[in-house]
Amino acid sequence: GVSVPCRAARPARSRPPTPMAAMQSSVSPLAGDRTWMEQGVVPFLQGDVAAAHRGLVEALRQPSNCFLADRAAQKAQLARRFAFVAGCVEAALGQGQSMQRALVDVAKTLASPPPAGVELPGAAGLSASLLREAIRLDPGDLLAYQELCLLLSAHGADPLPIAEAAVRRGLWADAMQRPTVYFSELESRAFWEVGQLGDADAAWIRELEASWQVVVDELCAALEAPRPCFADVGGEHRAGGQHDGEVLGRGSWSEVVLYALNEEESQIAQAHFPRTRGLLGSLVPSAVDMAEAGFGEIIISRLGPHSHIAPHCAPNNARLTAHLGLRVPEGCRIRVGREWRQWEEGKTLLFDDSFEHEVVTTDQERIVLLIRFWHPQCIGRESEYMKRDDRIFNWKNFRKTFPPLPDEDVEKVMFGYDMDDAELCLQCKRPPSEECMPSFYMDKATYRLRASYRCTGG
């Protein structure tokens, strides 16, 4: 079925209608619009991309009783329809399942009969054209720019012209910085220097560099261990990193997870890197807390010879990344934004991974200790930024996954869901409390929105 990989966001304590009530009280214009289905989706499912494109454009521009008299609101609604269908098309390419299975899921989401599956050539082109139409209709919709940039990058095309258009609209500050969740108030620079951080961050970085040999000694022992402790990046061992392996253009990329959301993996690392884990816990506990909350990770990152991590942007700009060079042959490089740099063994390289970045190695592997830590302007407000990030991330996933409702305010009700109507917390199995945050997902049997909760604190 279709799942919504939403992260959690703590709700308000008011009592708005439940998500189910909101969904049942509003009919999606896509769900019952047979003209739209016949003119757009049917040719699409039959593999006639050109006819599908013409039909979608014509049908989506037709007036509908869901539109308000306000012309701007109508255009925004049209733009959201285009963006949603584009997301459906792209999902068919990117979910690792057959085209037939993906199209059946899309059809169920739209409350239409499951179609006969066919291979669809040119789906990426159709998706891109629909996103461009969404931007034309609503040039201020950042989500459409983001999705188009991701689509272009995934298929080897240059996203910068689209990103620069978003910059001209004031939606981003830099075309190279394109995170899913963008906090415009935070200072942006591709590379950071230790002196640009606060005293506390500067102190742990200096102490970490002074303790470099501790990490290297454990790394050497781990590499010689009879049972390998490195796992391929993108594997099931790290729940929050299962998409990371998709940016590996060539070569090999593996890791040892020192701290992350999955405590079982951290226990594996404890057998090989006990002193390193203890050092990190004492020097930078806030980064450990961030990792264990699922907002970042601390890993030993091992990139094989002749490897390339393709250009990509991280999901938010509320955190920075530190790389402590452990094994760094000459010529291995990283680009962040528009600048290339090289690591030094025993030295820390600091950067903002919400900027587009890529990595290349030579004929030898490169190994670094990677630490995600808070942007200096987030310190003291970490919980606030985590909640804001979760809400924005959930909202954007919802908009990509569900057909647009006639009234955006109805959709927003779902993100003020009251905890008294929720299921038990997934972690402690007790009724949710103020220390829980909701996660929205689509029920595979009914294709309706549901909410679950997970503890975030004491």
Side-chain angles (χ1 to χ4, degrees), residues 18-218:
T18 66
M20 288 301 93
M23 287 289 283
Q24 293 166 356
S25 65
S26 298
V27 178
S28 165
L30 297 184
D33 191 343
R34 296 307 304 172
T35 301
W36 183 90
M37 292 292 294
E38 291 165 3
Q39 291 185 220
V41 173
V42 171
F44 161 65
L45 297 174
Q46 293 172 344
D48 190 341
V49 176
H53 189 196
R54 289 193 301 270
L56 288 172
V57 170
E58 180 179 349
L60 292 174
R61 286 177 178 169
Q62 291 175 355
S64 171
N65 57 13
C66 73
F67 294 144
L68 304 175
D70 185 343
R71 178 64 179 166
Q74 178 175 341
K75 291 182 69 174
Q77 178 66 223
L78 282 169
R80 293 201 52 217
R81 284 176 145 193
F82 277 100
F84 170 73
V85 177
C88 289
V89 176
E90 181 62 11
L93 299 178
Q95 290 184 347
Q97 54 186 332
S98 69
M99 181 70 74
Q100 177 178 356
R101 181 68 255 169
L103 295 180
V104 168
D105 287 342
V106 169
K108 286 183 178 180
T109 304
L110 296 175
S112 62
V118 294
E119 292 298 318
L120 179 63
L126 173 59
S127 184
S129 65
L130 290 167
L131 285 166
R132 291 180 189 277
E133 182 69 5
I135 290 171
R136 187 191 70 79
L137 288 164
D138 187 1
D141 188 350
L142 177 58
L143 183 59
Y145 290 95
Q146 289 176 323
E147 291 304 306
L148 183 53
C149 285
L150 289 171
L151 176 65
L152 293 172
S153 296
H155 294 279
D158 184 7
L160 282 181
I162 302 301
E164 288 164 354
V167 170
R168 290 193 293 272
R169 286 278 172 181
L171 303 176
W172 280 322
D174 191 318
M176 284 286 184
Q177 188 182 28
R178 306 184 301 273
T180 304
V181 179
Y182 176 60
F183 299 109
S184 60
E185 71 273 15
L186 299 181
E187 184 177 359
S188 293
R189 55 169 60 93
F191 286 102
W192 287 68
E193 306 300 332
V194 174
Q196 295 166 331
L197 303 174
D199 292 341
D201 282 328
W204 70 256
I205 290 171
R206 287 193 296 267
E207 288 290 329
L208 182 65
E209 291 179 343
S211 304
W212 170 78
Q213 193 63 49
V214 171
V215 187
V216 171
D217 289 345
E218 291 192 324

Side-chain angles (χ1 to χ4, degrees), residues 348-417:
T348 303
L349 188 68
L350 306 171
F351 62 95
D352 183 341
D353 69 345
S354 69
F355 281 81
E356 180 181 288
H357 58 288
E358 63 178 316
V359 179
V360 293
T361 59
T362 58
D363 58 352
Q364 300 179 64
E365 66 180 6
R366 178 236 62 179
I367 306 178
V368 299
L369 169 61
L370 179 153
I371 303 170
R372 311 286 189 201
F373 65 102
W374 287 104
H375 188 291
Q377 289 176 278
C378 296
I379 294 174
R381 303 167 62 190
E382 295 90 344
S383 179
E384 173 192 336
Y385 274 97
M386 287 185 68
K387 292 173 186 176
R388 287 175 61 191
D389 175 81
D390 287 331
R391 286 194 177 98
I392 296 169
F393 186 91
N394 284 353
W395 174 240
K396 288 185 174 181
N397 267 300
F398 177 85
R399 287 190 59 182
K400 289 192 298 183
T401 311
F402 288 84
L405 299 180
D407 186 351
E408 281 198 22
D409 289 336
V410 176
E411 293 179 357
K412 291 177 182 178
V413 164
M414 300 176 187
F415 295 86
Y417 189 38

